[in-house]
Amino acid sequence: MTKTIAIGGMTCASCAARIERTLSKLEGVKKASVNLASEKLTIEFDGASLETIKARIAAIGYRALDKRPDAEESAKILRAKLLAAILLAAPLLYIAMATDMKNADNPSFYAVVQALLALAIMGAGYRFYLAGFRTLFALSPNMDSLIAIGTSAAFGYSLFSSVQIALGDASGAEGLYYESAGVIIALTLLGKMLEAKSKAKANEALDALLDLAPKTATVLENDAEVEKPIDEVAIGDILIVRPGGHIPIDGEVVGGRSSVDESMLTGESLPVGKTLGDLVFGGTLNLNGALTFRAAKSRGETALMQIARMVEEAQGSKAPMARLADKISGVFVPFVCLIAVAAGATQYIIGADLAFALKVFISVLVIACPCALGLAAPAAVTIAAGLAFRRGALVKSGEALERLGKVSAVFFDKTGTLTEGDIGARFDGDERVLPLLVAAEAKSEHPIGKAIAALAPVQFEAESFEAIAGVGVKAIVEGKTIEIGAEKEGIIARIDGKTAGVFTISDRIKADAKSAIKALKSLGLEITMLTGDNEKTAEAVAKALEIDRFKARASPQEKAAEIAAARQAGKISIFMGDGINDAIALTQADVGIAVGAGTDIAIKSADIVLMRDDLICVADAITIGRAAIRNVKQNLFWAFCYNSLSVPIACFGLLNPMIAALAMSLSSVSVLANALRLKNMKFGAPATPAETRVVKRRLNVGADFRNRSP
């Protein structure tokens, strides 16, 4: 079982690493991955209970929440705290810098005023101390620990100096560092506020998706309309939605007729007609007629929520290149504490006074916070996954996103992927034949099987059904054995071993296929078409699309073997398909891409699902993957450089603690700002479903189907 849990109380990569480390030791937990940017834990477990997992999270000082903390609300709270801190820090800084304490008439008064102002600012940042000392005492210090130790040391030393002043020792004025403690907290709050706002922007794609789901539904009870929260709607309830309203939950139409805008799920900008027996999906927009429908799923199982979960899991999973940063961040804070103590002690031993040694100690602690390291990869993955979804590609994991950016070869299935078809048929005159064949294909997930099943209303139910990958289907209907499969003559249907009909599928290249292949070639990719079709048809399609290499009459195993051979040659490959017979190849490829209109098996086997039947999405997804890799590398490079250069400078006493706090805050913000640049990427095709040319994949079956010859 895999669950995504919102986590509260995290401040840096050390927090994320500690949660992962702790949960990974729990019996029954297979994998735990924390995304600092989205503040979520994705955990795979079997045997451990969810309550035990949440309890363990609470035991180490964090909170398992029902939903991700509202980044905008967090920014609002931080803004209020920051304002209070700035208003208090201004007079504190003025008194510290402008007042000649040694010559003042009452130096103790100024020392007390500074102490009170600093204490009030530290109160605004009380969370740093609660979390910082808690994790410190648990021997797992984090960023808050560094801030808490540094500012507490500055305040404590200043307090000691204030006592000296009160006892008449004017030299104590040289040891007042109240302004350092106060300004460090104020600047850290500034960084946290900017970080919260950036996180809100990073997650806005997912938030916008979730906002599509209505919060309430109109339920019919005893012929009366009752408004209910969506969570209280039960499977089987009868609901009504009027023109202009969003459909609250997945269901089956039981009354009315309308058109529904399903572009948020499929990317298809044209309205879809809905009438008795049709399925409707939560979050889609009802356009011009009232619909009554029966709820078929709970809120958590709707198509919209499943997509949202997949986006969350993609954002929560780690790209392989992020693991180096995670390992370093996990040991970085304890290491920094040792460096800070060593640097301060060394300065004191070689002759510096205690005040200077303390300044070095505080500067090293504050400048070395590993926030930038922890945000470098998850921020880019979060934004890239959201951007890919907006372009029509649902990326299931950070690993898939990274592999996508390294792809050098693309393998395409032909039928249903590069081509769409017209269907023709010839069968004997018995009017019972078609209903029997329709019943046999009713449970099929193959596009051709679905097309056959849609030719007539279902009159019978199959007593047994078996789909044989790459061959066809076998079913028992009304006591008769029905076999439908591909042979040289076409798709042959047999009833009790006797030929009952022939279906023929003629391929037509999709309108956007050639431009998509051209776009992929422009990215320097090697294109190969793998198809179970005959040599002549495969050659014609490959020539029309300018595909240099193809393999005809390829079985599912042969398709997988082609991909395995590419891997042995050092190529990172994509396979794109939509049928049951593509499942092996989708799994074998480094990145499997399924068309959203394809089979459930193909979609489950794939790493990426195209939400609309628009092949240009593949080129866009690869472009996004490449940009994400570049962005993560840039972020990691600058984060490593920042810490590598700043810590030695602080160790030599060349960095004021207040400047260190500002630099630390800005380093995190700069990483997030760089990741947010991904949102400004330019593409060759329009981004919104309404503007995008969508080619709807369908089998054109007319009312005169029975009379058509192959």
Side-chain angles (χ1 to χ4, degrees):
M1 179 186 296
T2 300
K3 287 282 186 181
T4 300
I5 304 171
I7 303 292
M10 292 192 300
T11 56
C12 71
S14 295
C15 299
R18 186 185 181 204
I19 294 171
E20 290 177 351
R21 200 164 50 243
T22 301
L23 294 180
S24 295
K25 295 177 182 177
L26 268 180
E27 186 177 351
V29 172
K30 297 180 179 178
K31 183 179 179 182
S33 177
V34 175
N35 186 314
L36 182 61
S38 61
E39 298 178 278
K40 286 190 174 179
L41 159 72
T42 300
I43 186 164
E44 184 180 344
F45 59 98
D46 182 13
S49 69
L50 197 57
E51 290 72 22
T52 302
I53 291 169
K54 290 182 177 180
R56 186 58 61 92
I57 292 170
I60 58 175
Y62 304 96
R63 304 184 306 279
L65 307 174
D66 293 331
K67 62 179 181 178
R68 177 169 54 84
D70 188 327
E72 285 292 345
E73 185 63 26
S74 298
K76 186 178 179 181
I77 294 171
L78 285 167
R79 194 180 301 117
K81 291 181 177 181
L82 175 62
L83 179 60
I86 289 174
L87 292 175
L88 293 166
L92 172 60
L93 203 56
Y94 176 79
I95 294 172
M97 299 301 179
T99 304
D100 185 353
M101 295 286 289
K102 289 183 178 179
N103 299 318
D105 294 333
N106 189 356
S108 292
F109 170 76
Y110 290 107
V112 170
V113 171
Q114 288 186 61
L116 292 175
L117 288 170
L119 197 59
I121 296 171
M122 292 166 75
Y126 74 92
R127 186 179 59 82
F128 298 126
Y129 300 94
L130 289 179
F133 285 117
R134 182 182 63 238
T135 55
L136 181 64
F137 295 147
L139 300 180
S140 183
N142 62 1
M143 187 214 83
D144 289 337
S145 303
L146 300 182
I147 297 296
I149 295 170
T151 55
S152 295
F155 187 86
Y157 185 77
S158 301
L159 204 59
F160 172 76
S161 298
S162 298
V163 173
Q164 284 184 300
I165 295 171
L167 294 175
D169 185 356
S171 65
E174 300 293 338
L176 295 182
Y177 285 93
Y178 289 122
E179 80 283 0
S180 290
V183 172
I184 286 172
I185 292 296
L187 290 172
T188 305
L189 286 171
L190 171 64
K192 288 296 175 186
M193 187 201 70
L194 295 174
E195 190 178 304
K197 293 182 71 174
S198 296
K199 284 180 180 178
K201 291 182 180 179
N203 288 287
E204 65 183 13
L206 179 59
D207 292 339
L209 181 63
L210 294 173
D211 286 343
L212 292 171
K215 304 299 184 289
T216 61
T218 302
V219 181
L220 294 179
E221 293 184 350
N222 301 320
D223 296 327
E225 296 182 8
V226 180
E227 196 81 7
K228 283 187 176 183
I230 192 66
D231 289 330
E232 295 181 12
V233 175
I235 295 175
D237 282 352
I238 303 299
L239 294 83
I240 186 168
V241 60
R242 292 184 170 78
H246 281 87
I247 293 167
I249 208 161
D250 292 7
E252 180 181 350
V253 176
V254 295
R257 183 186 295 270
S258 184
S259 295
V260 175
D261 179 359
E262 295 184 344
S263 59
M264 46 77 67
L265 286 178
T266 65
E268 172 60 81
S269 57
L270 296 176
V272 180
K274 299 291 180 181
T275 187
L276 187 66
D278 289 336
L279 298 179
V280 291
F281 303 98
T284 57
L285 180 63
N286 185 31
L287 296 175
N288 53 20
L291 286 175
T292 305
F293 64 97
R294 181 183 294 106
K297 293 182 179 179
S298 62
R299 177 179 179 270
E301 297 304 317
T302 61
L304 178 64
M305 294 306 294
Q306 289 182 50
I307 290 171
R309 275 199 298 272
M310 292 170 78
V311 174
E312 282 185 318
E313 288 172 7
Q315 294 179 340
S317 63
K318 293 189 186 300
M321 69 174 65
R323 291 170 188 157
L324 173 62
D326 287 346
K327 289 179 180 178
I328 292 175
S329 297
V331 298
F332 193 74
V333 173
F335 184 62
V336 165
C337 290
L338 294 176
I339 290 178
V341 171
T346 300
Q347 290 291 345
Y348 186 71
I349 290 170
I350 63 177
D353 58 24
L354 184 58
F356 184 81
L358 180 66
K359 185 180 82 169
V360 170
F361 172 73
I362 296 170
S363 296
V364 173
L365 286 178
V366 173
I367 195 67
C369 292
C371 300
L373 277 175
L375 290 168
V381 169
T382 296
I383 294 167
L387 180 60
F389 177 73
R390 289 179 57 194
R391 298 295 303 180
L394 177 55
V395 182
K396 292 185 179 180
S397 68
E399 290 91 338
L401 186 66
E402 182 172 333
R403 290 196 298 268
L404 190 66
K406 298 178 180 179
V407 161
S408 56
V410 181
F411 293 88
F412 280 101
D413 173 48
K414 180 180 71 66
T415 306
T417 304
L418 294 173
T419 64
E420 55 192 359
D422 286 326
I423 188 168
R426 180 178 62 217
F427 49 91
D428 67 33
D430 189 343
E431 61 182 21
R432 281 171 50 92
V433 169
L434 183 58
L436 289 172
L437 302 183
V438 166
E441 292 283 14
K443 295 181 181 180
S444 175
E445 291 188 324
H446 194 282
I448 295 175
K450 287 183 175 180
I452 294 172
L455 295 178
V458 177
Q459 298 180 23
F460 310 115
E461 184 173 351
E463 299 159 30
S464 68
F465 173 84
E466 180 184 5
I468 305 168
V471 178
V473 300
K474 183 177 181 180
I476 304 296
V477 182
E478 294 292 289
K480 298 180 181 294
T481 300
I482 312 295
E483 296 172 295
I484 304 176
E487 297 187 15
K488 291 182 179 180
E489 296 84 359
I491 308 297
I492 304 297
R494 289 188 172 86
I495 299 178
D496 289 335
K498 296 181 179 180
T499 300
V502 178
F503 296 94
T504 57
I505 305 296
S506 59
D507 270 341
R508 180 176 62 211
I509 295 173
K510 289 184 178 180
D512 65 335
K514 190 167 186 176
S515 59
I517 296 297
K518 184 178 180 181
L520 290 169
K521 283 188 171 182
S522 71
L523 295 174
L525 300 171
E526 177 186 295
I527 312 297
T528 302
M529 183 180 73
L530 304 175
T531 177
D533 214 333
N534 62 69
E535 187 84 20
K536 185 177 180 181
T537 301
E539 183 178 6
V541 172
K543 185 176 181 180
L545 293 177
E546 299 180 4
I547 295 175
D548 299 326
R549 183 173 179 272
F550 68 90
K551 182 176 178 62
R553 299 192 182 280
S555 68
Q557 291 76 17
E558 288 173 330
K559 291 180 181 181
E562 285 282 329
I563 295 167
R567 179 181 287 114
Q568 289 178 351
K571 299 173 184 176
I572 296 178
S573 64
I574 282 175
F575 178 81
M576 182 175 172
D578 69 342
I580 290 176
N581 61 336
D582 295 328
I584 301 174
L586 286 167
T587 305
Q588 179 70 36
D590 295 290
V591 181
I593 300 182
V595 180
T599 70
D600 288 343
I601 292 176
I603 290 171
K604 289 175 182 177
S605 302
D607 301 295
I608 296 173
V609 179
L610 297 189
M611 300 310 295
R612 56 179 183 260
D613 194 7
D614 188 354
L615 295 179
I616 200 67
C617 294
V618 180
D620 288 350
I622 293 171
T623 302
I624 292 169
R626 290 181 176 180
I629 287 178
R630 286 196 303 271
N631 196 277
V632 172
K633 287 181 178 178
Q634 291 165 1
N635 285 347
L636 289 174
F637 173 79
W638 289 113
F640 278 122
C641 284
Y642 163 81
N643 283 289
S644 300
L645 295 175
S646 59
V647 172
I649 292 173
C651 286
F652 286 105
L654 303 176
L655 200 61
N656 184 285
M658 291 181 286
I659 302 300
L662 179 62
M664 179 271 294
S665 296
L666 292 179
S667 68
S668 298
V669 174
S670 65
V671 163
L672 285 167
N674 188 48
L676 286 169
R677 289 193 309 113
L678 289 170
K679 300 178 73 174
N680 299 321
M681 286 180 61
K682 304 296 182 184
F683 298 91
T688 60
E691 298 170 336
T692 303
R693 174 180 49 78
V694 178
V695 181
K696 186 176 181 181
R697 180 169 61 85
R698 56 185 175 269
L699 290 166
N700 297 318
V701 182
D704 60 340
F705 173 80
R706 297 187 186 193
N707 299 320
R708 295 178 62 182
S709 58

mmCIF file of all heavy atoms in Angstrom, residues 294-321:
data_model
loop_
_atom_site.group_PDB
_atom_site.id
_atom_site.type_symbol
_atom_site.label_atom_id
_atom_site.label_comp_id
_atom_site.label_asym_id
_atom_site.label_seq_id
_atom_site.Cartn_x
_atom_site.Cartn_y
_atom_site.Cartn_z
ATOM 1 N N ARG A 294 -26.226 8.548 -10.985
ATOM 2 C CA ARG A 294 -26.015 7.739 -9.785
ATOM 3 C C ARG A 294 -24.527 7.737 -9.445
ATOM 4 O O ARG A 294 -23.691 7.431 -10.295
ATOM 5 C CB ARG A 294 -26.501 6.309 -10.012
ATOM 6 C CG ARG A 294 -26.329 5.388 -8.792
ATOM 7 C CD ARG A 294 -26.755 3.965 -9.091
ATOM 8 N NE ARG A 294 -28.200 3.892 -9.357
ATOM 9 C CZ ARG A 294 -28.749 3.713 -10.539
ATOM 10 N NH1 ARG A 294 -27.962 3.611 -11.604
ATOM 11 N NH2 ARG A 294 -30.054 3.652 -10.689
ATOM 12 N N ALA A 295 -24.189 8.077 -8.204
ATOM 13 C CA ALA A 295 -22.791 8.090 -7.769
ATOM 14 C C ALA A 295 -22.209 6.686 -7.865
ATOM 15 O O ALA A 295 -22.774 5.726 -7.335
ATOM 16 C CB ALA A 295 -22.686 8.609 -6.342
ATOM 17 N N ALA A 296 -21.076 6.575 -8.555
ATOM 18 C CA ALA A 296 -20.455 5.265 -8.762
ATOM 19 C C ALA A 296 -19.189 5.081 -7.943
ATOM 20 O O ALA A 296 -18.718 3.962 -7.768
ATOM 21 C CB ALA A 296 -20.134 5.077 -10.247
ATOM 22 N N LYS A 297 -18.639 6.190 -7.440
ATOM 23 C CA LYS A 297 -17.396 6.105 -6.674
ATOM 24 C C LYS A 297 -17.442 7.085 -5.507
ATOM 25 O O LYS A 297 -18.171 8.077 -5.549
ATOM 26 C CB LYS A 297 -16.182 6.426 -7.561
ATOM 27 C CG LYS A 297 -15.924 5.405 -8.655
ATOM 28 C CD LYS A 297 -14.690 5.774 -9.453
ATOM 29 C CE LYS A 297 -14.403 4.742 -10.547
ATOM 30 N NZ LYS A 297 -13.212 5.095 -11.339
ATOM 31 N N SER A 298 -16.645 6.792 -4.502
ATOM 32 C CA SER A 298 -16.493 7.748 -3.407
ATOM 33 C C SER A 298 -15.582 8.870 -3.877
ATOM 34 O O SER A 298 -14.902 8.748 -4.909
ATOM 35 C CB SER A 298 -15.896 7.057 -2.180
ATOM 36 O OG SER A 298 -14.600 6.562 -2.480
ATOM 37 N N ARG A 299 -15.538 9.960 -3.121
ATOM 38 C CA ARG A 299 -14.743 11.121 -3.525
ATOM 39 C C ARG A 299 -13.275 10.753 -3.740
ATOM 40 O O ARG A 299 -12.651 11.181 -4.714
ATOM 41 C CB ARG A 299 -14.847 12.213 -2.464
ATOM 42 C CG ARG A 299 -13.989 13.443 -2.751
ATOM 43 C CD ARG A 299 -14.159 14.494 -1.666
ATOM 44 N NE ARG A 299 -13.332 15.646 -1.938
ATOM 45 C CZ ARG A 299 -12.074 15.782 -1.509
ATOM 46 N NH1 ARG A 299 -11.524 14.807 -0.786
ATOM 47 N NH2 ARG A 299 -11.378 16.870 -1.776
ATOM 48 N N GLY A 300 -12.742 9.929 -2.856
ATOM 49 C CA GLY A 300 -11.324 9.598 -2.940
ATOM 50 C C GLY A 300 -10.951 8.715 -4.108
ATOM 51 O O GLY A 300 -9.769 8.594 -4.438
ATOM 52 N N GLU A 301 -11.946 8.093 -4.759
ATOM 53 C CA GLU A 301 -11.668 7.171 -5.856
ATOM 54 C C GLU A 301 -12.069 7.723 -7.217
ATOM 55 O O GLU A 301 -12.033 6.994 -8.208
ATOM 56 C CB GLU A 301 -12.390 5.843 -5.612
ATOM 57 C CG GLU A 301 -11.924 5.102 -4.363
ATOM 58 C CD GLU A 301 -10.423 4.853 -4.368
ATOM 59 O OE1 GLU A 301 -9.908 4.471 -5.436
ATOM 60 O OE2 GLU A 301 -9.777 5.061 -3.331
ATOM 61 N N THR A 302 -12.466 8.985 -7.291
ATOM 62 C CA THR A 302 -12.844 9.557 -8.579
ATOM 63 C C THR A 302 -11.622 9.666 -9.481
ATOM 64 O O THR A 302 -10.475 9.654 -9.023
ATOM 65 C CB THR A 302 -13.458 10.961 -8.401
ATOM 66 O OG1 THR A 302 -12.474 11.824 -7.802
ATOM 67 C CG2 THR A 302 -14.694 10.909 -7.514
ATOM 68 N N ALA A 303 -11.868 9.790 -10.784
ATOM 69 C CA ALA A 303 -10.766 9.924 -11.740
ATOM 70 C C ALA A 303 -9.911 11.139 -11.398
ATOM 71 O O ALA A 303 -8.675 11.091 -11.472
ATOM 72 C CB ALA A 303 -11.330 10.045 -13.161
ATOM 73 N N LEU A 304 -10.563 12.238 -10.997
ATOM 74 C CA LEU A 304 -9.844 13.461 -10.664
ATOM 75 C C LEU A 304 -8.902 13.243 -9.482
ATOM 76 O O LEU A 304 -7.732 13.646 -9.516
ATOM 77 C CB LEU A 304 -10.839 14.576 -10.339
ATOM 78 C CG LEU A 304 -10.232 15.917 -9.911
ATOM 79 C CD1 LEU A 304 -9.426 16.517 -11.048
ATOM 80 C CD2 LEU A 304 -11.319 16.881 -9.464
ATOM 81 N N MET A 305 -9.409 12.585 -8.428
ATOM 82 C CA MET A 305 -8.586 12.376 -7.239
ATOM 83 C C MET A 305 -7.469 11.378 -7.518
ATOM 84 O O MET A 305 -6.374 11.486 -6.948
ATOM 85 C CB MET A 305 -9.458 11.897 -6.080
ATOM 86 C CG MET A 305 -10.468 12.931 -5.593
ATOM 87 S SD MET A 305 -9.704 14.513 -5.161
ATOM 88 C CE MET A 305 -8.723 14.037 -3.743
ATOM 89 N N GLN A 306 -7.717 10.400 -8.386
ATOM 90 C CA GLN A 306 -6.653 9.457 -8.741
ATOM 91 C C GLN A 306 -5.532 10.176 -9.484
ATOM 92 O O GLN A 306 -4.351 9.911 -9.256
ATOM 93 C CB GLN A 306 -7.223 8.325 -9.595
ATOM 94 C CG GLN A 306 -8.114 7.359 -8.805
ATOM 95 C CD GLN A 306 -8.627 6.225 -9.664
ATOM 96 O OE1 GLN A 306 -7.851 5.574 -10.358
ATOM 97 N NE2 GLN A 306 -9.920 5.986 -9.628
ATOM 98 N N ILE A 307 -5.917 11.092 -10.374
ATOM 99 C CA ILE A 307 -4.917 11.888 -11.082
ATOM 100 C C ILE A 307 -4.150 12.751 -10.083
ATOM 101 O O ILE A 307 -2.917 12.849 -10.134
ATOM 102 C CB ILE A 307 -5.584 12.766 -12.157
ATOM 103 C CG1 ILE A 307 -6.108 11.887 -13.303
ATOM 104 C CG2 ILE A 307 -4.605 13.800 -12.697
ATOM 105 C CD1 ILE A 307 -6.954 12.627 -14.298
ATOM 106 N N ALA A 308 -4.875 13.386 -9.163
ATOM 107 C CA ALA A 308 -4.234 14.234 -8.154
ATOM 108 C C ALA A 308 -3.241 13.433 -7.321
ATOM 109 O O ALA A 308 -2.142 13.903 -7.013
ATOM 110 C CB ALA A 308 -5.293 14.871 -7.256
ATOM 111 N N ARG A 309 -3.623 12.194 -6.954
ATOM 112 C CA ARG A 309 -2.720 11.353 -6.164
ATOM 113 C C ARG A 309 -1.464 11.010 -6.957
ATOM 114 O O ARG A 309 -0.356 10.986 -6.412
ATOM 115 C CB ARG A 309 -3.427 10.068 -5.731
ATOM 116 C CG ARG A 309 -4.237 10.217 -4.460
ATOM 117 C CD ARG A 309 -4.531 8.860 -3.835
ATOM 118 N NE ARG A 309 -5.324 8.017 -4.705
ATOM 119 C CZ ARG A 309 -6.650 8.010 -4.740
ATOM 120 N NH1 ARG A 309 -7.331 8.833 -3.964
ATOM 121 N NH2 ARG A 309 -7.304 7.214 -5.552
ATOM 122 N N MET A 310 -1.650 10.751 -8.251
ATOM 123 C CA MET A 310 -0.492 10.419 -9.073
ATOM 124 C C MET A 310 0.446 11.613 -9.206
ATOM 125 O O MET A 310 1.668 11.460 -9.189
ATOM 126 C CB MET A 310 -0.959 9.933 -10.450
ATOM 127 C CG MET A 310 -1.670 8.579 -10.395
ATOM 128 S SD MET A 310 -2.470 8.140 -11.958
ATOM 129 C CE MET A 310 -1.066 7.612 -12.906
ATOM 130 N N VAL A 311 -0.121 12.821 -9.335
ATOM 131 C CA VAL A 311 0.708 14.026 -9.392
ATOM 132 C C VAL A 311 1.446 14.207 -8.063
ATOM 133 O O VAL A 311 2.638 14.515 -8.030
ATOM 134 C CB VAL A 311 -0.146 15.269 -9.715
ATOM 135 C CG1 VAL A 311 0.697 16.536 -9.617
ATOM 136 C CG2 VAL A 311 -0.753 15.159 -11.103
ATOM 137 N N GLU A 312 0.732 14.008 -6.947
ATOM 138 C CA GLU A 312 1.350 14.122 -5.625
ATOM 139 C C GLU A 312 2.490 13.127 -5.459
ATOM 140 O O GLU A 312 3.554 13.465 -4.944
ATOM 141 C CB GLU A 312 0.309 13.872 -4.532
ATOM 142 C CG GLU A 312 -0.598 15.050 -4.273
ATOM 143 C CD GLU A 312 -1.520 14.790 -3.096
ATOM 144 O OE1 GLU A 312 -2.046 13.677 -2.976
ATOM 145 O OE2 GLU A 312 -1.702 15.706 -2.278
ATOM 146 N N GLU A 313 2.250 11.890 -5.881
ATOM 147 C CA GLU A 313 3.281 10.867 -5.740
ATOM 148 C C GLU A 313 4.493 11.194 -6.599
ATOM 149 O O GLU A 313 5.633 10.958 -6.199
ATOM 150 C CB GLU A 313 2.709 9.495 -6.105
ATOM 151 C CG GLU A 313 1.732 8.958 -5.060
ATOM 152 C CD GLU A 313 1.025 7.698 -5.516
ATOM 153 O OE1 GLU A 313 1.393 7.177 -6.593
ATOM 154 O OE2 GLU A 313 0.117 7.228 -4.815
ATOM 155 N N ALA A 314 4.239 11.761 -7.789
ATOM 156 C CA ALA A 314 5.348 12.165 -8.655
ATOM 157 C C ALA A 314 6.165 13.260 -7.995
ATOM 158 O O ALA A 314 7.394 13.249 -8.002
ATOM 159 C CB ALA A 314 4.822 12.635 -10.011
ATOM 160 N N GLN A 315 5.469 14.241 -7.395
ATOM 161 C CA GLN A 315 6.159 15.340 -6.740
ATOM 162 C C GLN A 315 6.850 14.881 -5.461
ATOM 163 O O GLN A 315 7.869 15.429 -5.056
ATOM 164 C CB GLN A 315 5.166 16.460 -6.421
ATOM 165 C CG GLN A 315 4.603 17.126 -7.668
ATOM 166 C CD GLN A 315 3.607 18.222 -7.351
ATOM 167 O OE1 GLN A 315 3.044 18.284 -6.259
ATOM 168 N NE2 GLN A 315 3.372 19.104 -8.297
ATOM 169 N N GLY A 316 6.281 13.852 -4.817
ATOM 170 C CA GLY A 316 6.846 13.377 -3.563
ATOM 171 C C GLY A 316 8.006 12.422 -3.749
ATOM 172 O O GLY A 316 8.802 12.230 -2.835
ATOM 173 N N SER A 317 8.105 11.814 -4.926
ATOM 174 C CA SER A 317 9.191 10.864 -5.153
ATOM 175 C C SER A 317 10.482 11.609 -5.481
ATOM 176 O O SER A 317 10.454 12.751 -5.923
ATOM 177 C CB SER A 317 8.829 9.925 -6.310
ATOM 178 O OG SER A 317 8.683 10.656 -7.503
ATOM 179 N N LYS A 318 11.591 10.959 -5.249
ATOM 180 C CA LYS A 318 12.884 11.609 -5.437
ATOM 181 C C LYS A 318 13.528 11.194 -6.753
ATOM 182 O O LYS A 318 13.537 10.018 -7.097
ATOM 183 C CB LYS A 318 13.824 11.255 -4.281
ATOM 184 C CG LYS A 318 13.389 11.822 -2.943
ATOM 185 C CD LYS A 318 14.474 11.604 -1.917
ATOM 186 C CE LYS A 318 14.009 12.025 -0.535
ATOM 187 N NZ LYS A 318 13.627 13.410 -0.445
ATOM 188 N N ALA A 319 14.053 12.175 -7.453
ATOM 189 C CA ALA A 319 14.879 11.869 -8.611
ATOM 190 C C ALA A 319 16.208 11.312 -8.101
ATOM 191 O O ALA A 319 16.690 11.715 -7.046
ATOM 192 C CB ALA A 319 15.109 13.137 -9.432
ATOM 193 N N PRO A 320 16.819 10.357 -8.817
ATOM 194 C CA PRO A 320 18.071 9.753 -8.345
ATOM 195 C C PRO A 320 19.153 10.773 -7.996
ATOM 196 O O PRO A 320 19.893 10.583 -7.039
ATOM 197 C CB PRO A 320 18.490 8.880 -9.540
ATOM 198 C CG PRO A 320 17.196 8.491 -10.169
ATOM 199 C CD PRO A 320 16.310 9.701 -10.032
ATOM 200 N N MET A 321 19.247 11.868 -8.771
ATOM 201 C CA MET A 321 20.298 12.842 -8.496
ATOM 202 C C MET A 321 20.079 13.573 -7.164
ATOM 203 O O MET A 321 20.980 14.208 -6.633
ATOM 204 C CB MET A 321 20.400 13.853 -9.638
ATOM 205 C CG MET A 321 19.220 14.791 -9.763
ATOM 206 S SD MET A 321 19.495 16.057 -11.021
ATOM 207 C CE MET A 321 19.565 15.083 -12.501
#
